[in-house]
Amino acid sequence: MNGQAMEMTEPAQSDPLLRLRQAIASDGPIIPTKSADATPTPDSGISLADATQLLFTEPTRQAFSLDTPTRFKSSDKPVDLRSIYFAWQKKDVAIPDYIASAQKLNEELSAQGAAGGNVHNLVFVERLDLITWLEGASEESEYIQPLASDSAEAAQAAGSTLSASEATGGIATISSGPAGRPGRSIDPRLAETYRLERRMGDRNTLLRGIRPTDFSHVRKSAQVFLGRNRSKQSEPVVPHPSSQTAVVQSKKAGRRPDPIILLSPSASSLLRMGNIKSFLESGLYIPPDSASTGSSNTANILHVSRVLPSIDSRPLRFILVDTPEQFKPDYWQRVVAVFTTGQTWQFKSYKWQHPTDLFRNVLGIYVGWRGDDLPNLVKGWGRGVLCTSVDKWNNNSGVQGRWRDREVVEGIWGSIEEGMRSRGWARDGP
Protein backbone atom coordinates (compact mmCIF):
# COMPACT_ATOMS: atom_id res chain seq x y z
CA MET A 1 0.00 0.00 0.00
CA ASN A 2 2.86 2.38 0.90
CA GLY A 3 4.71 1.53 -2.32
CA GLN A 4 1.60 2.22 -4.35
CA ALA A 5 1.12 5.59 -2.65
CA MET A 6 4.78 6.42 -3.33
CA GLU A 7 4.29 5.67 -7.02
CA MET A 8 1.41 8.11 -7.11
CA THR A 9 3.16 10.96 -5.32
CA GLU A 10 6.64 10.86 -6.90
CA PRO A 11 5.52 11.99 -10.40
CA ALA A 12 3.20 14.56 -8.83
CA GLN A 13 6.07 16.21 -6.94
CA SER A 14 7.66 17.29 -10.21
CA ASP A 15 4.55 17.71 -12.37
CA PRO A 16 2.25 20.68 -11.56
CA LEU A 17 -0.73 19.20 -13.44
CA LEU A 18 -0.71 15.96 -11.43
CA ARG A 19 -0.19 17.87 -8.19
CA LEU A 20 -3.12 20.17 -8.95
CA ARG A 21 -5.35 17.20 -9.84
CA GLN A 22 -4.46 15.37 -6.60
CA ALA A 23 -5.10 18.51 -4.54
CA ILE A 24 -8.54 18.90 -6.16
CA ALA A 25 -9.37 15.22 -5.57
CA SER A 26 -8.36 15.37 -1.88
CA ASP A 27 -9.85 18.84 -1.38
CA GLY A 28 -6.42 20.01 -0.22
CA PRO A 29 -5.37 23.65 -0.01
CA ILE A 30 -4.20 25.35 -3.22
CA ILE A 31 -2.69 28.71 -2.29
CA PRO A 32 -1.48 31.44 -4.67
CA THR A 33 1.45 33.21 -2.97
CA LYS A 34 4.30 35.58 -3.73
CA SER A 35 7.08 33.44 -2.29
CA ALA A 36 7.78 29.71 -2.26
CA ASP A 37 9.28 30.10 1.23
CA ALA A 38 6.23 31.76 2.72
CA THR A 39 4.07 29.94 5.26
CA PRO A 40 0.53 31.06 4.39
CA THR A 41 -2.66 29.61 5.76
CA PRO A 42 -5.31 28.17 3.38
CA ASP A 43 -7.39 31.35 3.65
CA SER A 44 -4.53 33.77 3.03
CA GLY A 45 -4.17 33.30 -0.73
CA ILE A 46 -3.72 36.42 -2.85
CA SER A 47 -4.96 37.37 -6.31
CA LEU A 48 -3.50 35.65 -9.37
CA ALA A 49 -2.51 39.10 -10.61
CA ASP A 50 -0.08 39.47 -7.69
CA ALA A 51 0.92 35.85 -7.05
CA THR A 52 4.04 34.27 -8.56
CA GLN A 53 3.83 30.80 -6.96
CA LEU A 54 1.15 28.15 -6.48
CA LEU A 55 1.68 26.37 -3.15
CA PHE A 56 0.52 22.84 -2.23
CA THR A 57 0.88 21.72 1.39
CA GLU A 58 -0.56 18.21 1.38
CA PRO A 59 0.66 15.48 1.48
CA THR A 60 4.03 17.28 1.15
CA ARG A 61 4.87 20.94 0.75
CA GLN A 62 5.64 21.93 -2.84
CA ALA A 63 5.48 25.26 -4.71
CA PHE A 64 5.46 25.79 -8.47
CA SER A 65 6.00 29.02 -10.37
CA LEU A 66 2.77 30.19 -12.00
CA ASP A 67 4.74 30.75 -15.20
CA THR A 68 5.73 27.07 -15.35
CA PRO A 69 4.77 25.49 -18.73
CA THR A 70 2.56 22.42 -18.23
CA ARG A 71 1.93 19.32 -20.30
CA PHE A 72 -1.42 20.76 -21.44
CA LYS A 73 -1.01 22.10 -24.98
CA SER A 74 -3.17 24.58 -26.90
CA SER A 75 -2.34 25.05 -30.59
CA ASP A 76 0.77 22.88 -29.98
CA LYS A 77 2.07 25.31 -27.35
CA PRO A 78 2.37 24.49 -23.60
CA VAL A 79 -0.08 26.38 -21.38
CA ASP A 80 1.35 27.90 -18.20
CA LEU A 81 0.17 26.93 -14.70
CA ARG A 82 -1.51 30.32 -14.09
CA SER A 83 -3.83 29.82 -17.10
CA ILE A 84 -4.60 26.24 -15.99
CA TYR A 85 -5.51 27.26 -12.43
CA PHE A 86 -7.51 30.26 -13.68
CA ALA A 87 -9.56 27.99 -16.00
CA TRP A 88 -10.30 25.72 -13.01
CA GLN A 89 -11.38 28.69 -10.89
CA LYS A 90 -13.80 29.76 -13.67
CA LYS A 91 -15.08 26.25 -14.46
CA ASP A 92 -18.70 27.10 -13.66
CA VAL A 93 -19.03 30.46 -15.46
CA ALA A 94 -20.41 31.04 -18.95
CA ILE A 95 -18.10 31.55 -21.94
CA PRO A 96 -18.57 35.37 -22.21
CA ASP A 97 -17.94 35.76 -18.46
CA TYR A 98 -14.80 33.59 -18.67
CA ILE A 99 -13.46 35.65 -21.59
CA ALA A 100 -14.23 38.92 -19.81
CA SER A 101 -12.54 37.67 -16.60
CA ALA A 102 -9.43 36.60 -18.55
CA GLN A 103 -9.24 40.01 -20.19
CA LYS A 104 -9.58 41.75 -16.81
CA LEU A 105 -6.87 39.55 -15.24
CA ASN A 106 -4.49 40.29 -18.14
CA GLU A 107 -5.00 44.00 -17.55
CA GLU A 108 -4.25 43.53 -13.84
CA LEU A 109 -1.13 41.46 -14.63
CA SER A 110 0.25 44.22 -16.87
CA ALA A 111 -0.23 46.88 -14.18
CA GLN A 112 2.77 48.29 -12.36
CA GLY A 113 3.80 46.17 -9.39
CA ALA A 114 1.82 43.12 -10.56
CA ALA A 115 3.28 39.67 -11.26
CA GLY A 116 3.37 40.17 -15.05
CA GLY A 117 2.72 37.52 -17.64
CA ASN A 118 -0.40 36.70 -19.58
CA VAL A 119 -3.39 34.36 -19.13
CA HIS A 120 -4.02 32.09 -22.10
CA ASN A 121 -7.71 32.08 -23.10
CA LEU A 122 -8.70 28.44 -23.68
CA VAL A 123 -11.41 27.72 -26.23
CA PHE A 124 -14.56 25.91 -25.10
CA VAL A 125 -13.47 22.37 -26.11
CA GLU A 126 -10.04 22.74 -24.49
CA ARG A 127 -11.47 24.15 -21.27
CA LEU A 128 -14.09 21.39 -21.07
CA ASP A 129 -11.45 18.70 -21.63
CA LEU A 130 -9.16 20.20 -18.98
CA ILE A 131 -11.89 20.54 -16.33
CA THR A 132 -13.10 16.98 -16.98
CA TRP A 133 -9.56 15.67 -16.45
CA LEU A 134 -8.83 17.78 -13.37
CA GLU A 135 -11.98 16.75 -11.53
CA GLY A 136 -11.25 13.07 -12.24
CA ALA A 137 -14.16 12.36 -14.61
CA SER A 138 -11.70 11.29 -17.32
CA GLU A 139 -8.32 9.54 -17.10
CA GLU A 140 -7.08 10.73 -20.50
CA SER A 141 -6.94 14.00 -22.39
CA GLU A 142 -5.98 14.58 -26.00
CA TYR A 143 -4.43 17.94 -25.02
CA ILE A 144 -2.18 16.60 -22.22
CA GLN A 145 1.16 15.09 -23.19
CA PRO A 146 2.19 11.91 -21.31
CA LEU A 147 4.92 12.04 -18.69
CA ALA A 148 8.39 11.17 -19.97
CA SER A 149 8.65 8.39 -17.37
CA ASP A 150 5.36 6.83 -18.55
CA SER A 151 6.46 6.90 -22.20
CA ALA A 152 9.86 5.36 -21.37
CA GLU A 153 8.33 2.60 -19.25
CA ALA A 154 5.75 1.78 -21.91
CA ALA A 155 8.40 1.65 -24.64
CA GLN A 156 10.70 -0.50 -22.48
CA ALA A 157 7.88 -2.91 -21.61
CA ALA A 158 6.80 -3.20 -25.23
CA GLY A 159 10.39 -3.69 -26.42
CA SER A 160 11.24 -6.39 -23.87
CA THR A 161 8.01 -8.25 -24.52
CA LEU A 162 8.48 -8.05 -28.26
CA SER A 163 12.05 -9.41 -27.92
CA ALA A 164 10.76 -12.33 -25.88
CA SER A 165 8.16 -12.97 -28.53
CA GLU A 166 10.73 -13.03 -31.32
CA ALA A 167 12.96 -15.38 -29.33
CA THR A 168 10.18 -17.92 -28.84
CA GLY A 169 8.65 -17.44 -32.30
CA GLY A 170 5.23 -16.55 -30.88
CA ILE A 171 3.17 -13.39 -30.39
CA ALA A 172 4.00 -11.69 -27.14
CA THR A 173 1.35 -10.15 -24.92
CA ILE A 174 1.55 -7.33 -22.41
CA SER A 175 -0.70 -6.52 -19.49
CA SER A 176 -3.12 -3.67 -20.04
CA GLY A 177 -3.60 -3.06 -16.32
CA PRO A 178 -1.38 -1.07 -13.91
CA ALA A 179 1.67 -2.68 -12.30
CA GLY A 180 0.85 -5.15 -9.56
CA ARG A 181 -2.72 -5.72 -10.81
CA PRO A 182 -3.71 -8.49 -13.23
CA GLY A 183 -5.29 -7.32 -16.46
CA ARG A 184 -6.14 -8.70 -19.86
CA SER A 185 -3.14 -9.24 -22.16
CA ILE A 186 -2.94 -7.66 -25.59
CA ASP A 187 -0.52 -7.86 -28.49
CA PRO A 188 2.15 -5.10 -28.19
CA ARG A 189 1.58 -4.19 -31.84
CA LEU A 190 -2.09 -3.67 -31.05
CA ALA A 191 -1.07 -1.60 -28.00
CA GLU A 192 1.08 0.58 -30.25
CA THR A 193 -1.92 1.09 -32.55
CA TYR A 194 -4.05 2.09 -29.56
CA ARG A 195 -1.36 4.53 -28.44
CA LEU A 196 -1.41 6.33 -31.80
CA GLU A 197 -5.19 6.39 -31.92
CA ARG A 198 -6.76 9.79 -31.55
CA ARG A 199 -9.23 9.98 -28.69
CA MET A 200 -12.67 11.17 -29.81
CA GLY A 201 -15.35 12.71 -27.64
CA ASP A 202 -17.95 10.45 -26.07
CA ARG A 203 -21.59 11.10 -25.29
CA ASN A 204 -20.83 12.84 -22.00
CA THR A 205 -18.16 15.21 -23.34
CA LEU A 206 -20.16 16.16 -26.44
CA LEU A 207 -23.45 16.82 -24.66
CA ARG A 208 -21.99 18.57 -21.66
CA GLY A 209 -22.29 22.33 -22.04
CA ILE A 210 -22.91 25.54 -20.13
CA ARG A 211 -26.19 26.55 -21.77
CA PRO A 212 -29.10 24.23 -22.59
CA THR A 213 -29.64 23.56 -26.28
CA ASP A 214 -32.90 24.82 -27.75
CA PHE A 215 -34.39 22.31 -30.23
CA SER A 216 -37.64 24.20 -30.84
CA HIS A 217 -36.56 24.93 -34.43
CA VAL A 218 -36.64 21.17 -35.15
CA ARG A 219 -40.32 21.02 -34.20
CA LYS A 220 -41.14 23.96 -36.46
CA SER A 221 -39.28 22.41 -39.38
CA ALA A 222 -41.04 19.10 -38.83
CA GLN A 223 -44.46 20.77 -38.77
CA VAL A 224 -43.77 22.49 -42.09
CA PHE A 225 -42.54 19.25 -43.65
CA LEU A 226 -45.44 17.13 -42.34
CA GLY A 227 -47.96 19.80 -43.35
CA ARG A 228 -46.69 19.74 -46.93
CA ASN A 229 -46.91 15.95 -47.05
CA ARG A 230 -50.50 15.96 -45.77
CA SER A 231 -51.51 18.59 -48.31
CA LYS A 232 -49.94 16.55 -51.12
CA GLN A 233 -51.80 13.40 -50.03
CA SER A 234 -55.18 15.11 -49.60
CA GLU A 235 -55.17 17.30 -52.71
CA PRO A 236 -55.61 15.76 -56.20
CA VAL A 237 -52.75 16.26 -58.64
CA VAL A 238 -53.77 18.75 -61.33
CA PRO A 239 -51.34 19.28 -64.22
CA HIS A 240 -50.25 22.89 -64.72
CA PRO A 241 -50.06 24.34 -68.21
CA SER A 242 -46.58 25.72 -67.52
CA SER A 243 -43.82 24.10 -65.45
CA GLN A 244 -42.07 27.47 -65.12
CA THR A 245 -45.07 28.88 -63.22
CA ALA A 246 -44.83 25.99 -60.76
CA VAL A 247 -41.17 26.70 -60.10
CA VAL A 248 -41.88 30.38 -59.40
CA GLN A 249 -44.72 29.46 -57.02
CA SER A 250 -42.55 26.97 -55.13
CA LYS A 251 -39.88 29.64 -54.66
CA LYS A 252 -42.46 32.04 -53.31
CA ALA A 253 -43.79 29.38 -50.92
CA GLY A 254 -40.32 28.65 -49.51
CA ARG A 255 -39.24 30.78 -46.55
CA ARG A 256 -35.99 32.70 -46.82
CA PRO A 257 -33.51 31.81 -44.02
CA ASP A 258 -32.92 34.58 -41.49
CA PRO A 259 -29.51 36.27 -41.93
CA ILE A 260 -27.26 36.29 -38.84
CA ILE A 261 -25.20 39.14 -37.34
CA LEU A 262 -22.45 38.23 -34.85
CA LEU A 263 -21.49 40.63 -32.04
CA SER A 264 -18.29 40.77 -30.01
CA PRO A 265 -18.62 39.28 -26.48
CA SER A 266 -15.86 41.62 -25.24
CA ALA A 267 -16.72 43.75 -22.23
CA SER A 268 -14.99 46.70 -23.95
CA SER A 269 -17.27 46.61 -27.00
CA LEU A 270 -19.46 49.69 -27.48
CA LEU A 271 -22.22 47.54 -28.95
CA ARG A 272 -23.36 44.47 -27.02
CA MET A 273 -26.55 42.48 -26.58
CA GLY A 274 -27.88 45.16 -24.23
CA ASN A 275 -27.91 48.06 -26.70
CA ILE A 276 -27.51 46.67 -30.25
CA LYS A 277 -31.27 46.35 -30.88
CA SER A 278 -32.06 50.00 -30.11
CA PHE A 279 -29.00 51.08 -32.11
CA LEU A 280 -29.87 49.18 -35.31
CA GLU A 281 -33.66 49.72 -35.15
CA SER A 282 -33.98 53.24 -33.69
CA GLY A 283 -30.65 54.73 -34.82
CA LEU A 284 -29.81 55.76 -31.27
CA TYR A 285 -26.70 54.82 -29.28
CA ILE A 286 -27.19 54.08 -25.56
CA PRO A 287 -24.40 52.58 -23.39
CA PRO A 288 -24.88 48.81 -22.90
CA ASP A 289 -24.81 49.12 -19.10
CA SER A 290 -27.50 51.82 -19.06
CA ALA A 291 -30.67 51.12 -17.09
CA SER A 292 -32.77 51.97 -20.15
CA THR A 293 -31.48 48.93 -22.05
CA GLY A 294 -33.86 46.71 -20.06
CA SER A 295 -33.81 42.91 -20.20
CA SER A 296 -31.70 42.75 -23.39
CA ASN A 297 -28.56 42.54 -21.22
CA THR A 298 -29.41 38.95 -20.26
CA ALA A 299 -30.70 37.80 -23.66
CA ASN A 300 -28.78 35.15 -25.59
CA ILE A 301 -30.47 35.90 -28.93
CA LEU A 302 -32.18 38.99 -30.37
CA HIS A 303 -34.13 39.77 -33.55
CA VAL A 304 -34.29 43.00 -35.55
CA SER A 305 -36.22 43.69 -38.76
CA ARG A 306 -35.11 45.85 -41.66
CA VAL A 307 -36.24 46.43 -45.25
CA LEU A 308 -33.39 46.09 -47.76
CA PRO A 309 -34.99 47.26 -51.03
CA SER A 310 -32.50 45.62 -53.39
CA ILE A 311 -33.03 42.23 -51.71
CA ASP A 312 -36.67 42.12 -50.57
CA SER A 313 -39.56 44.56 -50.39
CA ARG A 314 -40.69 42.91 -47.16
CA PRO A 315 -38.85 43.38 -43.84
CA LEU A 316 -36.04 40.86 -43.33
CA ARG A 317 -35.62 39.42 -39.85
CA PHE A 318 -31.99 39.39 -38.64
CA ILE A 319 -30.74 37.15 -35.81
CA LEU A 320 -28.21 38.73 -33.42
CA VAL A 321 -25.96 36.58 -31.19
CA ASP A 322 -22.58 37.15 -29.53
CA THR A 323 -21.23 33.60 -29.82
CA PRO A 324 -21.40 30.83 -32.49
CA GLU A 325 -21.58 28.21 -29.73
CA GLN A 326 -24.92 26.81 -30.94
CA PHE A 327 -24.14 27.11 -34.67
CA LYS A 328 -24.75 24.29 -37.12
CA PRO A 329 -22.28 24.08 -40.03
CA ASP A 330 -24.74 25.60 -42.52
CA TYR A 331 -25.38 28.63 -40.25
CA TRP A 332 -22.10 30.20 -41.40
CA GLN A 333 -23.61 30.66 -44.88
CA ARG A 334 -26.19 32.96 -43.26
CA VAL A 335 -23.70 35.18 -41.36
CA VAL A 336 -23.75 38.58 -43.10
CA ALA A 337 -21.82 40.78 -40.63
CA VAL A 338 -19.44 40.51 -37.67
CA PHE A 339 -19.07 43.38 -35.19
CA THR A 340 -15.51 43.42 -33.78
CA THR A 341 -13.39 45.40 -31.33
CA GLY A 342 -10.14 44.40 -33.01
CA GLN A 343 -9.41 41.55 -30.54
CA THR A 344 -8.51 38.38 -32.43
CA TRP A 345 -9.53 35.98 -29.61
CA GLN A 346 -13.12 36.70 -30.67
CA PHE A 347 -12.57 34.55 -33.79
CA LYS A 348 -11.07 31.44 -32.11
CA SER A 349 -14.38 29.53 -32.27
CA TYR A 350 -15.32 30.83 -35.75
CA LYS A 351 -15.29 28.83 -38.99
CA TRP A 352 -12.68 31.30 -40.30
CA GLN A 353 -10.30 31.97 -37.40
CA HIS A 354 -7.87 34.24 -39.26
CA PRO A 355 -9.19 37.81 -39.77
CA THR A 356 -8.06 37.88 -43.42
CA ASP A 357 -10.09 34.75 -44.23
CA LEU A 358 -13.04 35.87 -42.11
CA PHE A 359 -13.49 39.29 -43.69
CA ARG A 360 -13.01 37.86 -47.15
CA ASN A 361 -16.27 35.93 -46.58
CA VAL A 362 -18.17 38.18 -44.14
CA LEU A 363 -18.46 41.94 -43.70
CA GLY A 364 -16.58 43.21 -40.63
CA ILE A 365 -17.83 46.24 -38.69
CA TYR A 366 -15.74 48.25 -36.21
CA VAL A 367 -17.52 50.97 -34.19
CA GLY A 368 -15.40 53.26 -32.00
CA TRP A 369 -15.66 56.68 -30.38
CA ARG A 370 -15.50 59.67 -32.70
CA GLY A 371 -12.11 61.35 -32.35
CA ASP A 372 -10.25 58.23 -31.14
CA ASP A 373 -7.52 56.66 -33.24
CA LEU A 374 -8.33 53.52 -35.20
CA PRO A 375 -6.39 50.47 -33.89
CA ASN A 376 -3.49 49.52 -36.17
CA LEU A 377 -4.64 45.88 -36.14
CA VAL A 378 -8.02 46.86 -37.59
CA LYS A 379 -6.33 49.03 -40.23
CA GLY A 380 -4.36 46.01 -41.39
CA TRP A 381 -7.53 44.00 -42.08
CA GLY A 382 -8.23 46.08 -45.18
CA ARG A 383 -11.43 46.94 -47.02
CA GLY A 384 -13.31 43.94 -45.65
CA VAL A 385 -13.95 45.88 -42.42
CA LEU A 386 -16.25 48.93 -42.26
CA CYS A 387 -14.77 51.38 -39.73
CA THR A 388 -17.15 53.96 -38.30
CA SER A 389 -17.59 55.95 -35.08
CA VAL A 390 -20.25 57.47 -32.83
CA ASP A 391 -20.19 60.52 -30.55
CA LYS A 392 -19.00 59.84 -27.02
CA TRP A 393 -21.76 59.41 -24.47
CA ASN A 394 -22.48 62.36 -22.20
CA ASN A 395 -24.39 61.56 -19.02
CA ASN A 396 -25.56 65.15 -18.69
CA SER A 397 -27.17 65.49 -22.13
CA GLY A 398 -28.20 61.82 -22.50
CA VAL A 399 -29.89 61.05 -25.81
CA GLN A 400 -30.38 64.71 -26.66
CA GLY A 401 -28.38 65.85 -29.69
CA ARG A 402 -27.43 62.36 -30.88
CA TRP A 403 -28.76 62.98 -34.40
CA ARG A 404 -25.55 61.72 -36.00
CA ASP A 405 -26.19 58.17 -34.68
CA ARG A 406 -28.90 57.70 -37.33
CA GLU A 407 -26.41 58.60 -40.07
CA VAL A 408 -23.95 55.97 -38.77
CA VAL A 409 -26.65 53.29 -38.58
CA GLU A 410 -27.83 53.98 -42.14
CA GLY A 411 -24.26 53.61 -43.35
CA ILE A 412 -23.95 50.26 -41.55
CA TRP A 413 -27.20 48.93 -43.05
CA GLY A 414 -26.13 50.14 -46.49
CA SER A 415 -22.86 48.20 -46.23
CA ILE A 416 -24.69 45.10 -44.97
CA GLU A 417 -27.12 45.29 -47.90
CA GLU A 418 -24.30 45.71 -50.42
CA GLY A 419 -22.36 42.82 -48.88
CA MET A 420 -25.41 40.53 -48.92
CA ARG A 421 -26.14 41.37 -52.53
CA SER A 422 -22.54 40.66 -53.59
CA ARG A 423 -22.68 37.26 -51.85
CA GLY A 424 -25.81 36.07 -53.64
CA TRP A 425 -28.70 37.37 -51.52
CA ALA A 426 -31.32 38.50 -54.04
CA ARG A 427 -35.06 38.78 -54.39
CA ASP A 428 -35.38 35.06 -55.19
CA GLY A 429 -33.33 33.99 -52.13
CA PRO A 430 -29.69 33.67 -51.04
Side-chain angles (χ1 to χ4, degrees):
M1 179 68 181
N2 292 336
Q4 194 171 11
M6 183 66 68
E7 290 177 2
M8 291 178 62
T9 56
E10 281 182 355
Q13 289 179 353
S14 59
D15 184 72
L17 272 183
L18 283 177
R19 196 64 193 268
L20 177 60
R21 189 184 191 207
Q22 290 183 4
I24 292 171
S26 62
D27 201 19
I30 307 170
I31 308 170
T33 180
K34 287 187 176 181
S35 172
D37 300 327
T39 56
T41 58
D43 57 348
S44 64
I46 61 177
S47 167
L48 280 179
D50 300 321
T52 59
Q53 306 281 330
L54 196 62
L55 177 64
F56 304 93
T57 59
E58 297 178 4
T60 58
R61 179 188 176 89
Q62 179 73 29
F64 295 92
S65 171
L66 284 169
D67 296 326
T68 303
T70 66
R71 292 182 293 117
F72 190 94
K73 289 193 172 183
S74 174
S75 301
D76 294 328
K77 295 181 180 179
V79 179
D80 62 292
L81 183 57
R82 179 182 278 107
S83 302
I84 296 293
Y85 184 58
F86 176 75
W88 170 254
Q89 286 183 318
K90 302 298 180 181
K91 62 185 177 69
D92 295 322
V93 304
I95 293 177
D97 297 333
Y98 167 70
I99 295 174
S101 300
Q103 182 181 1
K104 180 180 178 182
L105 179 56
N106 282 330
E107 293 174 354
E108 294 175 353
L109 285 168
S110 61
Q112 186 175 5
N118 188 56
V119 169
H120 183 80
N121 184 16
L122 301 177
V123 298
F124 174 76
V125 177
E126 294 172 344
R127 188 163 68 110
L128 176 62
D129 188 272
L130 172 65
I131 292 171
T132 304
W133 184 84
L134 285 176
E135 64 188 8
S138 173
E139 293 300 324
E140 297 180 4
S141 169
E142 63 176 292
Y143 299 101
I144 298 179
Q145 302 299 308
L147 287 169
S149 58
D150 293 346
S151 301
E153 290 175 3
Q156 183 179 1
S160 61
T161 326
L162 187 59
S163 299
S165 167
E166 292 172 350
T168 57
I171 297 179
T173 59
I174 61 175
S175 173
S176 63
R181 188 182 69 186
R184 64 185 180 89
S185 297
I186 60 175
D187 189 308
R189 289 167 292 187
L190 182 60
E192 180 67 12
T193 302
Y194 286 155
R195 188 182 69 81
L196 298 175
E197 192 175 49
R198 181 178 179 184
R199 180 177 175 82
M200 306 298 290
D202 57 14
R203 177 173 62 92
N204 292 325
T205 59
L206 290 176
L207 295 182
R208 178 178 176 178
I210 294 178
R211 298 177 182 172
T213 304
D214 182 15
F215 291 104
S216 59
H217 65 281
V218 178
R219 186 191 312 162
K220 295 178 180 178
S221 300
Q223 288 176 351
V224 174
F225 179 75
L226 294 175
R228 289 176 180 173
N229 283 351
R230 292 194 188 100
S231 63
K232 288 180 180 179
Q233 293 174 0
S234 59
E235 295 178 2
V237 179
V238 178
H240 270 273
S242 171
S243 60
Q244 185 176 1
T245 306
V247 173
V248 173
Q249 290 179 349
S250 65
K251 284 187 177 180
K252 290 182 178 179
R255 184 175 177 272
R256 183 196 297 271
D258 295 334
I260 299 173
I261 297 176
L262 273 169
L263 306 180
S264 170
S266 173
S268 62
S269 177
L270 299 187
L271 293 170
R272 303 203 294 272
M273 296 296 284
N275 63 344
I276 186 65
K277 186 177 177 69
S278 62
F279 182 70
L280 292 180
E281 284 190 338
S282 306
L284 185 65
Y285 177 81
I286 302 174
D289 53 356
S290 173
S292 60
T293 55
S295 60
S296 298
N297 281 316
T298 59
N300 294 328
I301 183 172
L302 296 172
H303 298 93
V304 297
S305 296
R306 174 80 179 190
V307 176
L308 303 181
S310 65
I311 296 176
D312 202 325
S313 58
R314 298 165 300 177
L316 287 173
R317 189 178 77 157
F318 289 80
I319 298 175
L320 287 83
V321 292
D322 60 0
T323 172
E325 179 184 340
Q326 305 292 341
F327 271 26
K328 295 180 181 179
D330 60 312
Y331 282 14
W332 286 104
Q333 301 175 3
R334 297 160 51 187
V335 177
V336 297
V338 173
F339 281 83
T340 180
T341 59
Q343 297 164 303
T344 55
W345 57 258
Q346 174 187 348
F347 316 133
K348 292 195 71 173
S349 58
Y350 284 17
K351 176 182 178 181
W352 303 285
Q353 298 182 1
H354 195 278
T356 305
D357 298 331
L358 174 63
F359 299 126
R360 188 183 297 120
N361 293 276
V362 181
L363 171 69
I365 302 174
Y366 173 84
V367 179
W369 292 125
R370 183 170 281 110
D372 288 358
D373 293 334
L374 186 67
N376 292 328
L377 191 61
V378 177
K379 290 180 181 178
W381 291 344
R383 295 182 299 174
V385 180
L386 169 68
C387 298
T388 185
S389 58
V390 295
D391 292 329
K392 292 185 178 181
W393 177 260
N394 189 324
N395 289 325
N396 296 327
S397 58
V399 298
Q400 299 296 327
R402 299 199 64 88
W403 53 270
R404 286 201 286 192
D405 291 348
R406 167 64 69 179
E407 179 182 352
V408 174
V409 171
E410 292 300 325
I412 290 175
W413 279 119
S415 297
I416 291 176
E417 181 177 5
E418 181 180 352
M420 291 175 63
R421 193 169 61 248
S422 66
R423 289 176 175 85
W425 292 74
R427 287 185 175 271
D428 56 350

